[in-house]
Amino acid sequence: MLRKVIATTAVLGLAAGCAPDSSAPVKVSALVLASNGEYTPQEVELKTISDIVGLSGNVADLHGGARIVLDSNDPDLQNATTPEAFANAVLKDSGRDVTASYITQNGVLWPADFHTWNMVTTYYNLERAFDYFHDVTNIPTADFGDPVRTYYFPEFVLVDVDKDPIKDNAMYFSANASFLILPFDQLQRAPLAINAGIIAHEYSHRVFNLKVYDAQPFPIPLSNWATGGPSPGANILKSFDEGLADLHAYGSTCRSKHGCDTRFLSTSFHGKFDSVADDRDLARTDRCMTESLRDNLLNMSLDQFSGYEYLVGTLLASALYQAGEATGQRDVLLRSIVAAYDDETIATPGLQQLARQHNSDQTKFTLAVAAGAIITHVTDLRLKEAVCNELMDHLQIPRDLLVGTSNPNLCPASAAGGNTCPALPTEG
Ligand SMILES: [Zn+2]
């Protein structure tokens, strides 16, 4: 697919090149998922760009050629005692501004090489993710913070895991508040940066960090709770972060030409990777908390739990998805979820406040408590009831933890749960 696009550009490349006008909005051609399911060059507008060659603007700032190394034996890292020192220690080379090149055609900038296609599309996708959180979930512009440093194709090495740089991944790296768009290897059909849903997923992690963790590079509840023993509170926060990232990514696809897509991962993860898209397809209605997954959530350390956060996260996300769709209140729900991240109101504390409140005893930061933050921020009664029912059913949160007078009375008495999932035995 990409090779075909590049060939197309080479033909158009006969047009004369000139120094592009940088002031926003800028009309460019980017790779966008069309209604037929193919990524095709489409004319789009970058509204926040200030430097079209260096690809920087109010939303993001792309940097190439960086080298980031995490090595537990690295003396620089061992000596790092502050978040800033840690960020400096892992950043072995901060790289430099990227240089995009274009051909101008009828007032539209056409990327002149593969990396320009990939980088312009990355910036465009980040801008759309920003727009989604601004327009749909009502986050004020001032809350987004500085443009996000976005390391494009950095060398990213987790020495303790693998000596070779990681490929085929994209991530939000809270330690230095940046996105990493890693080089691709296996995933060539739609490299992750081209997939707007995946970029929205990563952007959701940044929003979660800004709101739930107050932009901390090393979130306090995670550091305090991940002490090597069972870390149920940290495991729940990680699960919410992952699941809600998929749900918001889905929400952002609803604003695209291609339309709402619960399997947004599938254009990147296909063939032998099909299961990734299936496992996280939000439209599947038969997912249930199992006894063993619940045991893992409650008893594993954060390290041991690695990977399971996607399973619990998908349970949460697909349950919420069903509630939003069944009531026709998708955007209202997505907005309520973001409102639940950070709220100092005594009667309706956010996830940040609840994590802080239970800082000294993470066993009190339960699924019911974390889900409660979302439930209290849903004001419409019908939607609230649907959310309660789905969470009781798929996450197997006991009804008496959400309904009744011995608790904050999170759910209406009319919420009875559901019957998709078999009832789990009481926690032992
Ligand atoms: Zn994620």
Side-chain angles (χ1 to χ4, degrees):
M1 173 62 219
L2 288 166
R3 212 157 286 162
K4 207 165 76 190
V5 168
I6 293 160
T8 314
T9 329
V11 174
L12 296 168
L14 294 170
C18 59
D21 178 5
S22 257
S23 56
V26 179
K27 284 183 182 162
V28 295
S29 192
L31 294 171
V32 180
L33 191 58
S35 49
N36 66 1
E38 296 279 337
Y39 288 89
T40 54
Q42 289 180 34
E43 183 187 321
V44 302
E45 228 174 45
L46 298 180
K47 295 177 295 179
T48 65
I49 201 93
S50 49
D51 175 0
I52 190 71
V53 173
L55 285 167
S56 66
N58 289 341
V59 168
D61 177 10
L62 268 64
H63 261 234
R67 182 173 155 76
I68 298 164
V69 180
L70 272 150
D71 177 358
S72 58
N73 292 316
D74 178 355
D76 290 347
L77 203 55
Q78 289 167 345
N79 295 330
T81 51
T82 62
E84 293 76 18
F86 179 94
N88 284 332
V90 298
L91 193 60
K92 299 302 180 193
D93 183 343
S94 64
R96 61 208 73 88
D97 279 338
V98 298
T99 310
S101 58
Y102 305 91
I103 283 99
T104 310
Q105 185 111 24
N106 301 327
V108 180
L109 299 177
W110 279 75
D113 54 55
F114 166 74
H115 282 296
T116 301
W117 277 111
N118 207 28
M119 294 189 302
V120 162
T121 304
T122 301
Y123 192 95
Y124 176 59
N125 286 340
L126 287 167
E127 200 176 90
R128 287 156 82 197
F130 174 98
D131 282 350
Y132 160 78
F133 280 104
H134 180 271
D135 299 350
V136 175
T137 75
N138 288 356
I139 296 180
T141 303
D143 287 12
F144 286 90
D146 293 335
V148 188
R149 172 69 64 90
T150 300
Y151 291 108
Y152 177 77
F153 280 34
E155 211 178 292
F156 182 61
V157 193
L158 298 174
V159 177
D160 301 340
V161 181
D162 190 347
K163 297 270 183 288
D164 293 325
I166 298 177
K167 296 202 166 131
D168 289 324
N169 216 332
M171 62 193 78
Y172 182 64
F173 194 47
S174 70
N176 55 12
S178 59
F179 292 116
L180 307 185
I181 307 291
L182 303 185
F184 57 85
D185 177 23
Q186 307 265 313
L187 304 180
Q188 299 209 5
R189 181 162 169 255
L192 303 180
I194 304 279
N195 187 322
I198 287 174
I199 293 296
H201 172 107
E202 298 312 325
Y203 205 92
S204 302
H205 287 315
R206 173 169 169 86
V207 169
F208 197 86
N209 179 273
L210 290 175
K211 296 279 177 192
V212 179
Y213 300 139
D214 221 7
Q216 292 155 359
F218 300 92
I220 288 170
L222 296 183
S223 325
N224 283 358
W225 289 348
T227 53
S231 61
N235 297 346
I236 286 169
L237 280 173
K238 277 284 191 184
S239 301
F240 270 56
D241 193 0
E242 279 310 332
L244 297 175
D246 275 353
L247 190 66
H248 287 303
Y250 160 74
S252 75
T253 64
C254 293
R255 293 157 58 86
S256 70
K257 277 190 188 152
H258 183 247
C260 290
D261 186 0
T262 62
R263 297 182 83 258
F264 65 88
L265 292 167
S266 69
T267 52
S268 295
F269 295 91
H270 68 111
K272 63 177 174 173
F273 302 107
D274 260 348
S275 63
V276 176
D278 293 335
D279 290 348
R280 284 165 58 184
D281 182 354
L282 297 187
R284 269 184 51 185
T285 57
D286 60 347
R287 289 197 185 88
C288 298
M289 179 63 89
T290 61
E291 214 174 338
S292 71
L293 185 56
R294 189 179 65 187
D295 281 348
N296 292 350
L297 182 74
L298 297 177
N299 300 313
M300 281 182 164
S301 70
L302 188 58
D303 278 349
Q304 293 169 325
F305 192 65
S306 175
Y308 293 107
E309 71 271 36
Y310 293 96
L311 299 183
V312 177
T314 305
L315 285 176
L316 172 71
S318 50
L320 292 171
Y321 164 83
Q322 287 182 63
E325 300 298 314
T327 56
Q329 300 202 67
R330 179 198 313 132
D331 287 356
V332 176
L333 177 58
L334 292 165
R335 193 149 51 238
S336 309
I337 288 167
V338 168
Y341 286 178
D342 176 13
D343 185 353
E344 295 287 349
T345 313
I346 305 287
T348 57
L351 286 171
Q352 181 188 146
Q353 288 70 24
L354 290 163
R356 194 195 303 143
Q357 193 179 317
H358 298 300
N359 185 38
S360 60
D361 183 3
Q362 63 177 306
T363 64
K364 300 250 164 58
F365 187 81
T366 59
L367 272 181
V369 166
I374 293 175
I375 293 165
T376 57
H377 286 85
V378 174
T379 48
D380 179 86
L381 195 63
R382 209 164 70 85
L383 178 60
K384 192 195 280 275
E385 187 183 57
V387 167
C388 289
N389 284 335
E390 297 297 346
L391 294 178
M392 287 179 204
D393 195 357
H394 296 278
L395 282 176
Q396 287 290 299
I397 300 176
R399 184 175 182 274
D400 62 7
L401 296 181
L402 299 176
V403 182
T405 49
S406 63
N407 56 43
N409 222 354
L410 298 165
C411 290
S414 56
N419 47 24
T420 304
C421 296
L424 293 187
T426 317
E427 283 164 28

